[in-house]
Amino acid sequence: MLDVRHLQVLRSIAQEGSLAAAGRALHYSQPTITHHLAALEAHFDARLVQRGPRGATLTELGEALLPHAEAVLDRLRRAELEVRNLAERGARTLHIGTFPTAGALLLAPAVKRLHRQGVHISLTEGELPLLLKGLTARELDAALVFSQPGDRLDLDEDFEVHPLLTDPLLLVMPEDHPCAALDRVPLGELRDATWVGAADPHDPCDRVLAWACAQEGYEPLHAMRTDDYAVVQGLVAAGTGVALVPRLALVHPRPDLAVRPLASPDLAREISVALLRSTSAAAAQELIAALQEQAALITERWSEA
């Protein structure tokens, strides 16, 4: 069996650059450091650290083990913190990630409910790639994520994914745009349009737009870029282009805009909550229930609009 101290020693050597410095950082004597490293290398029957006159570096095998060691040690640290908080203050902690539009309408009401039930929330906000990185690095217990045409979630068996909401991607145009007279706009009608896109050309909305336009045989031309949906609306209203915007981001559309669904293809992102299977069962179920309840309210409100 691996010993947690062995993993601590490996990480410290990688951070400090020598066995002596690793010993000082961990308050171990150098013979103790050498003992734990020898035991770890004996466990794998492989050399994990290369020692030399200028210090110590990890071998290729040591580098391969390091991220797993860091993940185990971080998970143990967080488990200790959660159990201590629960024992001392009756507070459980969930580390949750969200992208901005879902954080405002989906997560915020759920956080309120969880706080009432004694669950403390540590929040990370970012775009989808950052959230997926946080999940796979085990830095997040759960995150609001989404998939869409041309982009699927790539999470391993350590995660469970619970669907919440279908969020349509809507076309936003100036109110006098020729397509504003249509109830649903075929994407093929926008072959000559210019688009207001995200600041990052690899943003999920831009990727799905590129994927959809490719089905129609053309590439979208971007005139302006911004990550602020209020600015997107202003730019579209000013006539600089059209935009593809998630419905969650159109809570208060400007009156001088026309907002229409696409006729073909019909685009939407499927919003879900992804959780590590090792997340505290009670806290995870409370989070899922709170998010599903809020998602149902949003869906009902949309159906009545």
Side-chain angles (χ1 to χ4, degrees):
M1 291 289 291
L2 285 172
D3 188 314
V4 172
R5 291 171 296 179
H6 300 165
L7 301 181
Q8 288 175 324
V9 164
L10 182 74
R11 181 178 66 179
S12 190
I13 292 171
Q15 292 173 340
E16 303 298 332
S18 74
L19 272 66
R24 289 192 294 272
L26 293 173
H27 305 291
Y28 287 168
S29 66
Q30 186 158 340
T32 300
I33 291 286
T34 302
H35 166 75
H36 287 309
L37 176 59
L40 185 62
E41 291 183 327
H43 178 86
F44 287 102
D45 193 21
R47 181 170 293 280
L48 303 175
V49 173
Q50 184 66 47
R51 280 157 280 194
R54 295 188 177 182
T57 58
L58 300 192
T59 65
E60 183 179 357
L61 293 176
E63 292 285 0
L65 177 59
L66 180 61
H68 299 287
E70 290 175 329
V72 168
L73 293 170
D74 181 65
R75 191 69 191 175
L76 286 173
R77 178 188 62 78
R78 289 166 54 196
E80 182 179 12
L81 180 62
E82 182 170 340
V83 172
R84 287 187 183 279
N85 285 339
L86 187 57
E88 295 171 4
R89 298 190 293 275
R92 289 163 292 169
T93 298
L94 279 180
H95 301 269
I96 301 177
T98 183
F99 54 98
T101 48
L105 294 182
L106 266 174
L107 186 58
V111 167
K112 181 178 179 180
R113 172 172 163 173
L114 289 166
H115 277 168
R116 287 201 205 106
Q117 297 171 1
V119 180
H120 175 70
I121 303 298
S122 169
L123 184 63
T124 297
E125 184 184 76
E127 298 301 333
L128 185 62
L130 177 68
L131 302 179
L132 294 176
K133 182 179 179 181
L135 284 169
T136 54
R138 293 358 183 214
E139 295 168 355
L140 298 173
D141 299 306
L144 288 167
V145 295
F146 61 87
S147 60
Q148 59 188 15
D151 270 331
R152 67 180 187 87
L153 287 175
D154 188 18
L155 293 171
D156 61 33
E157 65 277 2
D158 288 344
F159 297 89
E160 53 185 55
V161 179
H162 298 266
L164 296 173
L165 181 71
T166 297
D167 185 18
L169 300 176
L170 302 176
L171 179 67
V172 180
M173 307 168 283
E175 59 182 349
D176 59 353
H177 192 281
C179 289
L182 303 175
D183 291 333
R184 300 177 70 87
V185 181
L187 195 56
E189 294 292 319
L190 300 167
R191 184 178 301 271
D192 298 323
T194 55
W195 294 82
V196 178
D200 181 358
H202 300 292
D203 179 85
C205 265
D206 276 13
R207 286 205 309 272
V208 75
L209 176 63
W211 175 87
C213 289
Q215 312 308 304
E216 300 293 326
Y218 70 94
E219 294 183 14
L221 174 64
H222 286 86
M224 305 283 280
R225 291 189 174 277
T226 176
D227 285 333
D228 188 320
Y229 284 123
V231 176
V232 169
Q233 291 192 49
L235 291 172
V236 172
T240 60
V242 299
L244 195 64
V245 178
R247 185 163 186 177
L248 275 180
L250 285 169
V251 178
H252 301 295
R254 290 173 55 126
D256 53 354
L257 296 177
V259 179
R260 301 288 185 270
L262 290 173
S264 59
D266 187 10
L267 298 179
R269 56 184 187 178
E270 301 297 329
I271 299 176
S272 306
V273 57
L275 297 97
L276 271 170
R277 294 187 186 277
S278 57
T279 302
S280 166
Q285 290 307 311
E286 289 164 2
L287 174 65
I288 294 166
L291 288 171
Q292 288 177 335
E293 180 181 305
Q294 185 61 23
L297 289 173
I298 292 172
T299 301
E300 181 181 356
R301 189 158 59 245
W302 286 352
S303 67
E304 295 172 350

